[in-house]
Amino acid sequence: MAGLGTALPDRGGGKKGGKGGKGAANKKPDPEDDEEDEEEDPDFAEGMDKKEVMKALSQLQGNAGLVTALQGKLDGLVGMSSGFVEGLHYKVRARVEELGNIQETHDDLYEKFIEEKRVLEAKYRALYQPLYNKRAAIVKGEVDVECTPEAGEVEEAGDEEPPAGIPDFWLIALRNHEQLEEQITEKDEPALKHLIDITSSQLEEGDQKGFTLDFHFEQPNPWFSNAVISKTYYMVDDEDPILEKAEGTEIQWHPGKNLTVKVLRKKPKKGSKNAKPITKTEQCESFFNFFYPPAVPEDDEDLNEEEAEQLQDAMENDYEMGAIIREKIIPDAVSWFTGEANQDEDYDEDDEDYDDEDDEDEDDDEDEDDDDEDEDEDEEEEEEEEVKPKGKGGGKGGGGKGGKGGFKGPPGADGEKPPECKQQ
């Protein structure tokens, strides 16, 4: 058990032992303290001699043998009952045991539910797939649809050839989600114009749990040679969103096209022997950082508390982004393209805002009432102080107290853009 070899805090908050002070070994046990301890801890673990343990604690400082002995005693406590249930009336204890049997039956049923749920989800994933394939074919222009133009549309189009498929379909769908739009920079848009499909699949190898997102790109394109860039989330459990780790495809960037870094050039100082500018690269804001997830160290002890919290936040944000794409964008891509899905989300948020405003109004009313009461109390105190007589003997008397929502259109529309980053 970590920390047993160091000085332990005593009941008064100080540390026992150490140079220049009275060590714990020199302190004589007080029988009255022992009696108080026994009264305070009536449920001390069965099978443990409390006086023996307290004596070992008092002599612990600097004694490795006692540390080892105490370690064994403490290890024996793991999994032991606190004695609470055993202390209940035998009739109550029997009822609690019956509740335990009911819970076991419930847990068995829940396991069956989870298994049937997995089978049902797999069934409907298979039924959805042909629809996703047809959608992809239309978006890419591999399949066309019959249509009858409305009056005037033919004349308006003139001799202009219609574009193949639906240009920028996935870029616009992603940008119409507020959280995803924050990740897409102006520099990302030309590359994301080549995104022609996003698909999702469950991990089915062995006992692995999780899912993979595949981003399909036109090839060739000016940015990278990958036809598919993937992001895989490995989960501890499918039912609880506990992320174990995430992995992304290494993007094969064309020279000078890496959107995730920026190049800084510094001119050499005058008189410097090296006349060439000094260059260095730094990470740059980009949607494609999504494929470079936070690295999880093999040993958590390599991180301090602050680093562990930062890693936890980064992993949660990374998973949330993947879950949005998997659970919202892919199943309902056309509604995100047209902006209808965004309007629905705005409506839900407005309802929540109204609830928050009502709560705030109630809080404001309560605060005003409290302020009025405080003011009345202050006035009463001032009046009382004013009528106090001055002190005798010439002393001083008592004085006063010292647009959101909607279709955002194709890339390049007006609106704030994330900070630009120079390409490598």
Side-chain angles (χ1 to χ4, degrees):
M1 183 173 290
L4 285 178
T6 60
L8 298 177
D10 61 22
R11 289 184 179 272
K15 288 188 176 181
K16 296 183 179 181
K19 296 179 180 180
K22 293 183 180 181
N26 298 326
K27 183 178 179 179
K28 295 181 181 180
D30 189 342
E32 294 182 0
D33 291 342
D34 292 341
E35 291 177 2
E36 290 178 2
D37 291 342
E38 290 174 1
E39 292 176 1
E40 292 172 2
D41 302 317
D43 294 329
F44 197 76
E46 184 179 349
M48 294 290 293
D49 187 336
K50 182 174 181 181
K51 290 184 178 180
E52 180 183 346
V53 174
M54 297 306 296
K55 181 179 179 181
L57 282 171
S58 68
Q59 297 176 349
L60 181 62
Q61 179 68 20
N63 193 324
L66 280 176
V67 171
T68 304
L70 182 59
Q71 179 75 61
K73 291 279 188 181
L74 294 176
D75 288 344
L77 287 173
V78 177
M80 293 184 66
S81 171
S82 65
F84 168 72
V85 175
E86 290 79 358
L88 297 174
H89 188 282
Y90 73 94
K91 291 290 288 183
V92 177
R93 191 165 62 247
R95 294 164 190 153
V96 172
E97 290 174 358
E98 181 59 24
L99 293 184
N101 296 333
I102 294 172
Q103 186 64 46
E104 288 182 5
T105 304
H106 173 277
D107 293 344
D108 292 340
L109 288 174
Y110 183 75
E111 288 298 323
K112 292 180 181 179
F113 161 72
I114 295 300
E115 185 58 37
E116 291 181 14
K117 179 185 175 185
R118 290 194 183 105
V119 173
L120 192 62
E121 288 176 341
K123 172 186 174 181
Y124 277 89
R125 278 196 300 270
L127 294 174
Y128 291 148
Q129 195 55 52
L131 303 179
Y132 293 153
N133 293 342
K134 186 175 181 180
R135 179 180 69 187
I138 293 174
V139 169
K140 290 185 282 188
E142 297 173 350
V143 174
D144 209 346
V145 297
E146 297 294 331
C147 66
T148 302
E150 295 182 4
E153 286 186 333
V154 174
E155 291 79 5
E156 183 179 346
D159 297 332
E160 181 183 355
E161 285 292 325
I166 305 177
D168 306 341
F169 177 83
W170 288 100
L171 169 58
I172 294 173
L174 292 172
R175 285 191 58 207
N176 272 345
H177 191 285
E178 184 177 14
Q179 287 177 259
L180 300 181
E181 184 199 23
E182 293 175 356
Q183 307 300 321
I184 300 173
T185 70
E186 187 174 359
K187 295 290 185 180
D188 293 326
E189 293 176 3
L192 290 174
K193 283 176 175 287
H194 296 279
L195 179 60
I196 54 178
D197 198 12
I198 306 177
T199 59
S200 174
S201 59
Q202 291 291 117
L203 295 182
E204 297 178 350
E205 296 181 5
D207 295 332
Q208 288 183 339
K209 297 178 176 65
F211 60 93
T212 297
L213 299 174
D214 292 320
F215 293 71
H216 303 257
F217 288 87
E218 288 178 323
Q219 286 298 331
N221 71 63
W223 307 95
F224 41 78
S225 59
N226 308 70
V228 179
I229 304 178
S230 302
K231 178 73 171 286
T232 301
Y233 290 91
Y234 297 90
M235 313 300 294
V236 175
D237 190 343
D238 281 336
E239 300 310 313
D240 286 327
I242 302 174
L243 179 63
E244 180 181 352
K245 64 177 181 177
E247 294 178 350
T249 299
E250 184 69 29
I251 302 176
Q252 304 300 318
W253 296 100
H254 293 314
K257 296 294 185 178
N258 190 340
L259 296 170
T260 65
V261 298
K262 60 182 178 181
V263 178
L264 303 178
R265 292 182 174 84
K266 184 178 180 181
K267 293 182 179 180
K269 295 181 180 179
K270 292 182 178 180
S272 175
K273 294 181 179 179
N274 187 5
K276 295 182 179 180
I278 301 172
T279 62
K280 67 175 182 178
T281 59
E282 290 183 356
Q283 186 173 0
C284 174
E285 289 186 5
S286 170
F287 174 83
F288 290 93
N289 285 323
F290 175 67
F291 300 102
Y292 300 92
V296 180
E298 295 182 1
D299 190 351
D300 292 343
E301 295 181 358
D302 294 340
L303 302 175
N304 58 38
E305 185 176 352
E306 183 178 356
E307 291 172 336
E309 289 180 358
Q310 291 175 350
L311 176 60
Q312 179 72 16
D313 291 342
M315 291 179 67
E316 288 177 359
N317 293 334
D318 181 67
Y319 174 78
E320 183 178 8
M321 189 171 171
I324 289 171
I325 294 172
R326 180 197 183 205
E327 298 169 6
K328 293 189 175 183
I329 303 299
I330 293 177
D332 198 17
V334 65
S335 296
W336 287 103
F337 174 80
T338 61
E340 294 174 11
N342 203 4
Q343 291 174 351
D344 292 340
E345 290 219 335
D346 291 342
Y347 180 78
D348 293 339
E349 289 177 3
D350 289 341
D351 287 344
E352 293 177 1
D353 291 341
Y354 282 127
D355 293 340
D356 292 341
E357 289 174 3
D358 292 339
D359 294 339
E360 289 174 1
D361 291 341
E362 292 177 3
D363 292 339
D364 291 341
D365 292 339
E366 292 177 359
D367 292 340
E368 289 176 2
D369 293 340
D370 292 340
D371 292 340
D372 292 340
E373 292 177 1
D374 292 340
E375 289 176 1
D376 293 340
E377 291 176 0
D378 292 340
E379 290 176 0
E380 291 175 1
E381 288 179 0
E382 289 176 3
E383 291 174 0
E384 289 176 1
E385 289 170 354
E386 288 173 359
V387 297
K388 284 181 181 178
K390 292 184 179 181
K392 296 180 179 179
K396 291 183 180 180
K401 292 182 181 180
K404 203 174 18 173
F407 174 49
K408 293 179 180 164
D414 292 339
E416 292 186 4
K417 303 292 182 184
E420 294 186 13
C421 60
K422 295 181 181 178
Q423 299 173 17
Q424 185 176 358

